[in-house]
């Protein structure tokens, strides 16, 4: 069981690294401070909304245990912003959401 989980983690992490390596430069942080509803995509360009869809973003994870709040790429809410975010795309991200680039969070030892 542990071996299977390790392989899944390796594959998911490799996919995320490959995706990020294809990006020309790091994305600027999208300002989430004024958003009261984490489903509000106001201010996002059509390109950014299409990017979310192409990554398979879903508001509610279809997989038991695989959701944004335990993903390595998730940016948790802060005191200044109610909603989480993602390193792969701009806009608010629900903690219970999911995308195809989900990678298990690696805790620092």
């Amino acid at each position: 069981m542990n071996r299977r989980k390790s392989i899944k983690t390796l594959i998911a992490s490799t996919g995320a690294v490959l995706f990020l390596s294809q990006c020309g430069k790091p994305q600027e942080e999208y300002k989430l401070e004024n958003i009261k509803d984490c489903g509000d995509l106001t201010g996002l360009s059509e390109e950014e909304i299409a990017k979310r869809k192409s990554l398979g973003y879903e508001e509610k994870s279809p997989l038991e245990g695989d959701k944004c709040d335990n993903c390595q790429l998730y940016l948790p809410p802060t005191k200044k912003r109610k909603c989480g975010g993602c390193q792969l795309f701009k806009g608010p991200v629900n903690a219970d959401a999911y995308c195809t680039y989900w990678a298990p969070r690696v805790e620092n030892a």
Side-chain angles (χ1 to χ4, degrees):
M1 191 70 147
N2 242 353
R3 183 177 177 188
R4 189 175 285 178
K5 187 172 183 174
S6 296
I7 290 170
K8 184 178 178 182
T9 301
L10 178 63
I11 291 170
S13 298
T14 301
V17 168
L18 288 174
F19 180 81
L20 289 173
S21 69
Q22 293 175 5
C23 297
K25 59 182 178 179
Q27 294 180 350
E28 294 179 23
E29 183 181 354
Y30 180 76
K31 303 297 181 193
L32 297 170
E33 287 85 3
N34 297 327
I35 294 178
K36 294 181 172 95
D37 174 10
C38 294
D40 182 3
L41 302 181
T42 303
L44 286 180
S45 69
E46 291 297 323
E47 291 171 333
E48 285 297 329
I49 293 171
K51 183 188 247 183
R52 292 166 72 94
K53 289 179 183 176
S54 74
L55 296 173
Y57 179 80
E58 298 181 39
E59 290 292 323
K60 184 77 172 161
S61 178
L63 304 174
E64 182 79 28
D66 295 0
K67 53 187 183 172
C68 290
D69 74 346
N70 63 10
C71 176
Q72 186 67 29
L73 303 169
Y74 182 65
L75 304 169
T78 65
K79 289 180 182 179
K80 291 185 178 182
R81 56 184 166 90
K82 174 185 173 184
C83 305
C86 181
Q87 295 177 36
L88 299 180
F89 55 85
K90 295 179 181 178
V93 173
N94 285 314
D96 291 332
Y98 172 84
C99 88
T100 54
Y101 283 88
W102 181 87
R105 183 175 301 281
V106 178
E107 298 297 330
N108 295 333

